[in-house]
Amino acid sequence: MNLKLLTGVIVSTAFLLPGSASGQTADFNIVPQPLQADVTNDAPFILNGKTSIVVATSNNDMKRNATLLASYIEQTTGVRPTVGKQGKDATAIVLSIDKTISNAEGYKLDVDAKRISIAGASAAGVFYGIQTLRKSLPVVSGKASQVTVPCAHIVDAPRFSYRGTHLDVSRHFVSTDEIRQFIDILALHNINRFHWHLTDDQGWRIEIKKYPLLTKVGSKRTQTVIGHNTGKYDGKPYGGFYTQKEIRDIVKYAADRYITIVPEIDLPGHMQAALAAYPELGCTGGPYKVWEMWGVSDNVLCAGNDKTMKFVDDVLKEVVALFPSKYIHVGGDECPKTQWQKCPKCQARIKALHLEAKDGHTAEERLQSYVITHASNYLKSLGRNTIGWDEILEGGLAEGATVMSWRGETGGIAAAKQHHDVVMTPNSYLYFDYYQSLDKANEPDAIGGYLPLERVYSYEPMPKELTADEARHIIGVQANIWTEYMPTFKQMQYMALPRMAALSEVQWSQPELKNYADFTSRLVDFTHLYDHLGYNYAKHLFNVDIHVDADTKWQEIVVHLTTTGDAEIRYTLDGTEPTADSQLYTGAIVLQKSANICAAAFRDGKRSSVSRQEINFNKATACPVTLLQPTHKNYTYNGAATLTDGQLGDTSFGTGRWLGFCENDLEAVIDMQKPSVISHVEFNTCVDKGSWIFDARDIEVSVSQDGKTFKQVAAKQLPALGENAADKVYTHKLNFQPTKARYVKVKATSERNMPEWHSGKGKPAFLFVDEISIM
């Protein structure tokens, strides 16, 4: 029997309490889902205190695997198998190496009445088989007398060899014990790379023997800004760093779980903490202090100073001695060039190297490429490979460098086309510092954006633009956890889980096997293990998802309510909180007027958190919309219908409520489907200057009876956005004489050249637009 046929059983039993009578049987409906899993009704394996774990291939890695498996089984069930020889008439779990398995991390898991066999292509493959067995076991409160493991044949291997998660410890420090727990969480999700972001403007966290002031001075900031750069500070000193001994211990702890730590020394930007310790490495000579606010500092390493190159080499030499990783991450992102433009040493370096502004790159961008290439060549001399954020493409990519594509997929596609390896980590899918819910009032503070579980799960890392030869350079996928707004490790867990479970299937599973409804059914059981292990995770999975569609034929808004499992959904339309006596959801809700939807799921007499969505009607709501200019491919979401779906976007531009344009304008034609007298049009724009999102420059409204010939009825010029303009939602209103029309065209031009004061000066800005209202 194929495992996929069993998903209905999971749904019907999803909300049984762990350790219940029916919960003493293993279930291979796990996360990530194995490539092939066949379960039969033959006699099962009985796991109990007499069960032994036997290592068929004796080496230290396999012995450690056996010990870890014994501890995992005890941790979940209370049963502690013995490690060693199989007793007479006793059942056994046998671990072995099978060189016929082609994928280096692949494994086979076979269960019959006498034996569980886990055979891997390597000790790492065996470890992933162990994780599968571990996650299949029931979570038992107390101690089980025995656990039944159904007869099964599982064949499994990962899709990608690089499966990473990043953690920033520069903004907020994480203790060594917490780092070990983070590594345990990665292992649970079959993740094999830990990208450790160790340095930034706000703190230097790694001991470098040759430069002791990096930790004595650079690891400590005097205070920390409150909230989103409010200008107010907490007045509390903050710091922390890892000694080299602590790092070696953590590297071993990770390696024992087949996780490679990829360290990051972010350069030449994000270096103000280092400059606070060694101001002579900056263009101005300082004085500098460890940065107390968030964002990107203009103070960067002086690329024209020979001492800078010596510093880079010395630091990387000690880093390489601590981390055996093939890759050393050198950052390369968000390096402002303002100091370099004014610095005599940097300009002299540009002249000496004959660096020129051409092919879309400035001389200063080519200077950054010089720094990255220097670091890359030095790492190559030490037998290591360079990896960096996609900005390392600017000015020319260093030979052999691997690119992490974070600003969408564009950088990754460009690198793959140049035959460089790529790890996909686009912020629009894989930045776990983004909000998980639109109900921000009930969420911990976050950097912005909106990244729900389903969107993480939907990510497909292999761009269609690549040929088969180019696609082989996409070696992996990674999610990033930036910690500006995560002061505690508990909050970091909350932001990572359960989105990391969705990430694990993106990294591990073949795309044709992915199914979100099936995934969430398996995830419910997985959260029992989260609970048992004491992990702090977001519980939006158990809430009601409100999905809104515009029915343009009947000019209605259709609302669908869903939740995981078979819980009852109750809702109201007047903004009051639903109770067990509220309207029961039985099918789509059709709206023809404004409503304030509140919905909750009821399980075992308990109510989930309340989900809310306002729908605002006007003459444009649910009308067909045609876009005359295309959106940016990363910000298309539901397309033109987003502009008239009755939902208002907030200050988070990545929620799916906004359409994004770049080098194009909003030019939308709304068909009201019948002539109507109108006198007012308005729409919203979202401004986030740091993300290169500016306001419109010119707006106009035109009307038509036939959809072909339009007459302008209103227009307005908007001033260029000033440096001190607020980042917020702007509402633009145009009034005109009452006019009868069927078609309304709304045009808003985007900023084509960002001003001198902006780090992206001269480049086109994004324009984000939402809800067009006609009255």
Side-chain angles (χ1 to χ4, degrees), residues 22 38 61-62 525 631 644:
S22 62
D38 298 299
D61 288 342
M62 292 292 282
D525 270 4
T631 57
T644 60

Side-chain angles (χ1 to χ4, degrees), residues 430-469:
L430 298 173
Y431 265 44
F432 288 177
D433 54 338
Y434 287 12
Y435 284 100
Q436 302 179 73
S437 167
L438 293 174
D439 184 14
K440 294 181 183 177
N442 293 302
E443 287 293 297
D445 202 8
I447 197 168
Y450 174 52
L451 188 59
L453 183 70
E454 185 170 9
R455 181 161 176 79
V456 177
Y457 192 81
S458 72
Y459 181 53
E460 171 46 51
M462 203 62 73
K464 295 178 181 178
E465 296 93 326
L466 299 180
T467 65
D469 183 56

Side-chain angles (χ1 to χ4, degrees), residues 26 28 38-48 51-52 86 89-94 108-118 133 147-154:
F28 289 106
D38 298 299
V39 179
T40 72
N41 292 322
D42 293 341
F45 180 93
I46 304 301
L47 173 66
N48 55 36
T51 301
S52 58
Q86 182 176 358
D89 299 326
T91 56
I93 303 172
V94 180
K108 295 176 182 176
L109 192 157
D110 289 284
V111 183
D112 61 31
K114 295 294 292 181
R115 172 181 291 198
I116 296 176
S117 171
I118 301 175
L133 178 59
V147 174
T148 301
V149 182
C151 187
H153 173 65
I154 295 173

Side-chain angles (χ1 to χ4, degrees), residues 751-773:
E751 178 63 75
R752 292 299 201 272
N753 297 287
M754 283 185 281
E756 285 293 316
W757 54 261
H758 196 273
S759 62
K761 65 180 181 180
K763 295 181 179 178
F766 281 87
L767 173 68
F768 276 75
V769 183
D770 184 37
E771 211 59 19
I772 297 174
S773 299

Side-chain angles (χ1 to χ4, degrees), residues 70-110:
S71 66
Y72 290 147
I73 292 172
E74 183 180 30
Q75 185 181 58
T76 304
T77 68
V79 174
R80 177 78 184 194
T82 59
V83 176
K85 295 182 179 180
Q86 182 176 358
K88 186 179 180 182
D89 299 326
T91 56
I93 303 172
V94 180
L95 310 181
S96 64
I97 300 295
D98 183 348
K99 294 296 186 181
T100 66
I101 299 173
S102 58
N103 189 305
E105 295 174 296
Y107 68 90
K108 295 176 182 176
L109 192 157
D110 289 284

Side-chain angles (χ1 to χ4, degrees), residues 157-185:
R159 181 184 183 191
F160 291 101
S161 61
Y162 187 113
R163 303 182 301 282
T165 299
H166 153 290
L167 182 64
D168 160 29
V169 297
S170 298
R171 276 53 177 246
H172 282 106
F173 185 68
V174 179
S175 73
T176 54
D177 286 344
E178 290 167 338
I179 289 292
R180 288 184 178 86
Q181 188 177 47
F182 186 71
I183 289 168
D184 289 338
I185 293 172

